[in-house]
Amino acid sequence: MTRNWKTRLQRAWADVAGLDWHLVFMLGPRHKFSEAQWALLDQRSAITPSVKLCAWLNALLMGVLAAWQMPAPLQLGGFVVGVLMALALLWLAARLWRRPTMRTLYLGYVWVCVMAFVSTFLMGIFSGAMRLEGSIGKEEAGQLALVLVLLGVAGIWVLAMARNEMLAGWLREHEQQQQALALAQQLSSAQIQPHFLFNSLASLQHWVRSRDERAATLLDALTAYLRATLPLFNRQLLSLGEELEAVRQYLAVMQVRLGQRLQVQIEVPEAVASVQLPPALMLTLVENAIEHGVVPKLGSALLRIETEQQDQSLLVRVIDDGPGLPEAPAQPVRAGRGVGLSNSRLRLAQTYGEAARLSLRNAEQGGCIAELQLPWSPETRAAS
């Protein structure tokens, strides 16, 4: 029996020790954010026109209710005071919605107290001085002010606490998304066509054994490719110029393996080299063009990389003159639904949202065009 009481007391003490005293004593929001986090959260704190219109309608409604409670000669004044009080509370609510901090909440407490006591006492004194029927006295005004203070304090406390928890939850989700994005980038970088490396090493092994002169050239090209690409994959974004350097190293390896069959044209102006994109994105498109466009074609094949500048975007195209996309989706990778292309679309969406896209289509003269659209504003172009 004694043991049961001790267990209950220990559980009760554990429950008390685990209480969140910020909630118990209404001390305010418990999550504190850095300036960098606030800058990120400000993007989610915009108040839409619909919410603003709703706020104005509620302010007018509060004015009507205030006028309804006043004697006839004071109804206009009650309406004005009610609307002003509602707008003041909505202004405070908007500040708490944007940045629910302890400081803003405590200033809100003071603001609510001042508004409640000043408005009710003014109404009580004015209506009492005019000796109007239904006027309220100072004691009644004080009681009314106290009720308004309690309601206002409870309301803004709930708003601040709920919004603070909401923003903290969004930050956790955002951090998890960023970690998932980083992991997806690493996986996609590690996934850079492992069969390309295996095939290259197999060719190198065969040429070494057969004492083929191309073995040394392939080894140099493969070493340069690995040296150029591996350090880049640890970054979230690369410039187009850096990505193209990795592409050139990859194509150098493939030209050693394919010989004169592979013809390459790269026409990318220096002015667009600073455009940012997720790493290995261009490399995936080029590898896809080599595997499904160049290798299956009999005879020589041309792979071309070009860009087109538009007002708010840059189009980067990888073009091959191979067999093109199949009419029936019998080859899902070539049709743009493979793992590499799906990862590329996902990383583009996570980085740029709807401002970027990746599409594949058949060229009019035969072959396939992989088109990548990246954000590219006039300001960015001028800065570069």
Side-chain angles (χ1 to χ4, degrees):
M1 195 69 166
T2 306
R3 199 174 284 176
N4 289 338
W5 277 106
K6 287 183 178 180
T7 303
R8 291 179 181 177
L9 287 174
Q10 289 174 351
R11 290 177 180 175
W13 175 252
D15 291 339
V16 172
L19 291 175
D20 189 340
W21 298 104
H22 273 83
L23 295 176
V24 174
F25 293 113
M26 299 176 67
L27 298 179
R30 59 175 180 159
H31 299 288
K32 296 181 179 179
F33 308 122
S34 65
E35 285 302 320
Q37 289 175 321
W38 278 124
L40 186 62
L41 291 172
D42 285 342
Q43 302 174 8
R44 296 186 58 86
S45 300
I47 300 177
T48 64
S50 300
V51 174
K52 292 179 181 178
L53 178 59
C54 179
W56 275 101
L57 292 177
N58 278 275
L60 293 175
L61 179 60
M62 187 168 180
V64 171
L65 293 176
W68 180 55
Q69 294 295 325
M70 297 298 294
L74 297 179
Q75 286 182 345
L76 179 59
F79 175 80
V80 173
V81 172
V83 170
L84 291 178
M85 285 188 62
L87 290 177
L89 286 173
L90 291 171
W91 172 81
L92 175 61
R95 287 180 60 88
L96 286 172
W97 181 263
R98 286 193 295 268
R99 294 204 172 188
T101 62
M102 298 272 286
R103 179 175 178 273
T104 307
L105 180 61
Y106 290 154
L107 289 176
Y109 287 160
V110 175
W111 184 244
V112 167
C113 293
V114 170
M115 284 194 305
F117 280 100
V118 169
S119 59
T120 52
F121 270 110
L122 286 178
M123 286 183 181
I125 292 173
F126 187 57
S127 60
M130 296 183 65
R131 298 180 181 179
L132 296 170
E133 183 179 355
S135 61
I136 59 176
K138 293 183 179 179
E139 292 184 1
E140 294 174 334
Q143 294 174 0
L144 179 59
L146 183 59
V147 171
L148 293 177
V149 166
L150 292 177
L151 291 176
V153 166
I156 64 174
W157 177 80
V158 170
L159 172 64
M161 295 296 294
R163 181 62 176 168
N164 185 262
E165 294 293 332
M166 183 188 302
L167 293 179
W170 183 84
L171 278 178
R172 286 192 296 269
E173 292 179 2
H174 179 76
E175 183 178 356
Q176 292 172 357
Q177 290 175 354
Q178 292 301 310
Q179 291 175 352
L181 175 60
L183 179 61
Q185 289 178 342
Q186 292 177 0
L187 290 176
S188 121
S189 301
Q191 174 254 350
I192 304 257
Q193 302 257 357
H195 62 268
F196 154 70
L197 293 177
F198 294 148
N199 291 341
S200 299
L201 291 174
S203 298
L204 180 61
Q205 184 181 36
H206 173 70
W207 289 348
V208 168
R209 286 177 177 174
S210 61
R211 299 183 183 277
D212 194 310
E213 295 180 354
R214 294 174 294 177
T217 305
L218 178 59
L219 179 60
D220 291 341
L222 189 58
T223 302
Y225 165 78
L226 295 174
R227 185 182 295 114
T229 55
L230 293 181
L232 302 181
F233 297 149
N234 293 325
R235 294 160 54 182
Q236 291 189 350
L237 290 175
L238 293 179
S239 68
L240 180 58
E242 292 173 314
E243 180 81 357
L244 285 176
E245 182 59 31
V247 168
R248 289 187 178 94
Q249 297 296 341
Y250 166 78
L251 290 174
V253 175
M254 296 307 300
Q255 282 182 315
V256 174
R257 288 177 51 192
L258 299 176
Q260 297 299 319
R261 286 188 55 205
L262 174 60
Q263 304 296 321
V264 176
Q265 293 180 0
I266 300 179
E267 297 184 4
V268 178
E270 187 66 26
V272 302
S274 61
V275 177
Q276 300 292 301
L277 71 164
L281 206 62
M282 287 292 300
L283 201 53
T284 299
L285 298 182
V286 172
E287 289 173 345
N288 192 58
I290 292 289
E291 180 182 358
H292 300 285
V294 174
V295 173
K297 184 180 179 181
L298 298 177
S300 63
L302 174 65
L303 185 140
R304 175 182 173 85
I305 301 175
E306 64 181 26
T307 60
E308 178 184 342
Q309 301 180 39
Q310 296 184 345
D311 290 338
Q312 298 296 328
S313 62
L314 176 73
L315 300 181
V316 184
R317 300 187 183 97
V318 178
I319 307 170
D320 66 73
D321 59 356
L325 299 172
E327 295 183 1
Q331 302 177 24
V333 173
R334 188 54 170 164
R337 294 187 294 273
V339 175
L341 294 175
S342 297
N343 285 344
S344 298
R345 289 191 174 98
L346 176 61
R347 291 160 60 202
L348 274 178
Q350 290 175 325
T351 305
Y352 293 116
E354 297 181 356
R357 64 175 177 82
L358 171 60
S359 61
L360 275 72
R361 67 178 187 273
N362 281 322
E364 294 181 0
Q365 304 299 325
C368 177
I369 300 176
E371 187 173 77
L372 180 63
Q373 178 180 316
L374 299 169
W376 179 238
S377 63
E379 292 79 9
T380 307
R381 182 158 56 242
S384 63

